Each structure stands twice: as C-alpha cells, then as structure tokens.
Amino acid sequence: MGKGGGCVPSKKKLSKSTSLNPPPIPTTDDPNSSTNDIVSATEPTTINSLPPKTQNLKLFIIFYSMYGHVESLARRIQKGVEAVDGVDPILYRVPETLSEEVLVQMRAPVKDDSIPELPSPAELADADGFLFGFPTRFGCMAAQMKAFFDSTGQLWREQKLAGKPAGFFVSTGTQGGGQETTAEERMQARNFDLLFVIELDWQQVGTNWTAITQLAHHGMLFVPIGYTFGAGMFRMDSIRGGTPYGAGVFAGDGTREASDTELALAEHQGKYMAAVVKKLVQD
C-alpha cells in the first residue's frame, strides 16, 4: 500500500518471533557488541514465518453456547472443515463464568463433556486459524466469550496471534435487536423489503462488529464469508440467520432450532475458512 509496504509483509523479511519489546540496544563500550547486533535489536518484528508443515493444519473452533444453538453451528462448521484435506478442526469451549446454581435457574442444559474447555489461552498460539462462536447479549458478545478474550493479554503483548486468520459465527434471540449501530441505514430505507432485510440481519452484523476489535488488537486477519454461499444468502421465503460476516442462527425464545439453511451456511463457513487457512499457511 504505497511506500509502507502494504498489509502483508514480504516473505523475505519474515522473522521467527514477534515481540512488542525488542531486546535492549548494546552499548558502544560492550566488547561483544557490533553493528549487526544493533541493527538486529532495533529492526521491527514481523509476522511469524512458518516452515512447511508435515502434519495437518489446525483450525480451532472456539465457542460459548448456553442453550446449544451456537454449539449446533460449531458442529456443522467442524463437518465443513473436515471436508478440506490437510486441515483438522479442533473444538473447544470457553470456560463458564456463571455458577451451577445460576445455570440451573436459567434452565441451561448440561454441557456435552465430549467437547473440552480450552486448557489455557497459551494453546491458541498452536493454531493456524480460528472460528469463534458466541451468542449475543444486548448487541455484544456474551460475557463468557469476552472474559475469554480478556484472558489473552500475554498473547497480545507478544503478538503471538498476529497474522492468523479468524472469523465469527453467532446466535441471536431476535431479528430486531442491535439496530442502534444501523440507525442511518434504517432511516434511509425507502420500502418494506429493504427495511425487512435490515431488520433481519443487523443484530448479527452488530454483534460481529463488536467482536472484530478483539482481532484487530491481536493483529489477526478477519475473514468474512461474503456472499460465497450463493443463492442461500438471498433467500427471503423464511427467517434465516447468518450474514456476510459469518454463520448465524436466530434462537427466538430458545425453542427455535437452527434451520437446514442456517446449518448449511455454517458448514460452508467451515469449508471456506479451512481453504483460506490452507492457502495462507502453505502458499
């Protein structure tokens, strides 16, 4: 991008480590110091250079799901990733922050033990790409997911996740929430059809917007699905979650399950993301 070198650094300049705090500059009276030492110490670090891998790439699917709607998307995303040779999907839950007593009062079902919690935020450094899933709370990600991102401070300080691709999938309760981020678009709507589309999509879009800031601070690459799902993105004959930002499901009062179209979109996102991860890492 002009003389700045663009968003993706040249592979010839990639270094093996990334750090916000470069080593101290050697003093001139240090007998072991040299010009090369000083240049090495002051040169900005860049995205990690990964050697060709002999094992499959890892795509972490990390999610929080209270009532199972996000989990249903996560499992279909896993199926989509599995369809891409050379990429392994690995499912993790984020830690629960609510007590068992509160979860019982909220009538939250018992979580499936076959999907483990992420042992430590440090594990993220081993992944080649991510898909993060969560329900919305008043237009933002659920507190459990925010607490998870808040726990990645050390990774942020060392920029261990910089350059890694990531995307989102979400669950929302209604069609009309979160529209405060789209007041201008709503005012510009000139007919019912346009207003209907905006009403349908913008809670999930707003939720994704509030999550992208997490990726930005980590230097990660946000990967939306756009309209790559084809005709399924334009269907208007039924309620459908999902946007160009990523897969989604409308949960309603909690009794509505993900539709076939919503699940198919999630599977597509898994395939699409796996292909992107494979291309970025291996090319």
Side-chain angles (χ1 to χ4, degrees):
M1 308 278 293
K3 296 182 180 180
C7 297
V8 180
S10 169
K11 293 183 179 179
K12 294 181 180 179
K13 296 183 180 179
L14 298 180
S15 65
K16 203 168 184 179
S17 64
T18 303
S19 173
L20 292 178
N21 301 309
I25 299 175
T27 58
T28 55
D29 58 354
D30 184 351
N32 297 319
S33 67
S34 68
T35 302
N36 289 337
D37 290 335
I38 297 175
V39 172
S40 176
T42 58
E43 185 177 1
T45 54
T46 54
I47 298 173
N48 292 349
S49 177
L50 299 176
K53 291 200 172 186
T54 57
Q55 59 184 11
N56 284 357
L57 304 175
K58 298 177 183 178
L59 201 167
F60 282 14
I61 304 168
I62 302 175
F63 69 94
Y64 175 75
S65 185
M66 178 172 284
Y67 295 106
H69 297 85
V70 175
E71 181 177 330
S72 66
L73 296 182
R75 292 185 181 277
R76 283 298 288 268
I77 286 173
Q78 178 186 24
K79 183 178 179 181
V81 175
E82 289 172 342
V84 178
D85 184 55
V87 184
D88 289 335
I90 302 176
L91 265 66
Y92 284 121
R93 297 181 187 276
V94 301
E96 179 60 78
T97 60
L98 297 176
S99 67
E100 191 63 33
E101 292 78 8
V102 171
L103 292 172
V104 170
Q105 290 295 320
M106 297 181 72
R107 299 180 181 178
V110 177
K111 294 179 174 59
D112 185 351
D113 291 336
S114 67
I115 303 178
E117 285 189 358
L118 185 71
S120 165
E123 299 289 329
L124 298 178
D126 293 332
D128 299 292
F130 305 93
L131 282 171
F132 299 106
F134 41 84
T136 185
R137 298 290 186 265
F138 302 107
C140 301
M141 69 174 69
Q144 290 86 346
M145 200 70 189
K146 184 59 170 65
F148 161 73
F149 277 114
D150 287 349
S151 72
T152 62
Q154 186 61 37
L155 293 170
W156 164 74
R157 278 188 286 271
E158 300 176 2
Q159 288 292 281
K160 291 288 189 180
L161 306 182
K164 293 179 184 273
F168 300 116
F169 56 102
V170 301
S171 169
T172 56
T174 66
Q175 299 176 44
Q179 293 174 63
E180 59 274 14
T181 58
T182 62
E184 181 179 354
E185 287 86 347
R186 290 178 64 203
M187 291 172 64
Q188 291 176 351
R190 290 295 182 264
N191 56 61
F192 175 80
D193 290 338
L194 178 56
L195 184 59
F196 176 78
V197 173
I198 292 173
E199 291 276 349
L200 193 63
D201 286 342
W202 275 94
Q203 183 184 21
Q204 295 189 351
V205 170
T207 303
N208 278 284
W209 273 358
T210 61
I212 289 174
T213 58
Q214 315 298 314
L215 305 189
H217 283 264
H218 277 289
M220 301 170 77
L221 309 177
F222 174 55
V223 181
I225 59 173
Y227 284 82
T228 59
F229 189 50
M233 296 292 289
F234 297 92
R235 293 189 60 178
M236 296 290 291
D237 57 336
S238 63
I239 295 174
R240 172 192 58 78
T243 71
Y245 289 80
V249 56
F250 286 116
D253 61 0
T255 60
R256 181 183 184 273
E257 300 293 336
S259 67
D260 290 341
T261 302
E262 289 168 331
L263 292 173
L265 177 55
E267 184 173 341
H268 168 75
Q269 185 175 14
K271 291 180 183 178
Y272 184 81
M273 190 66 181
V276 169
V277 170
K278 190 173 180 179
K279 184 172 180 62
L280 284 175
V281 175
Q282 293 186 347
D283 281 4

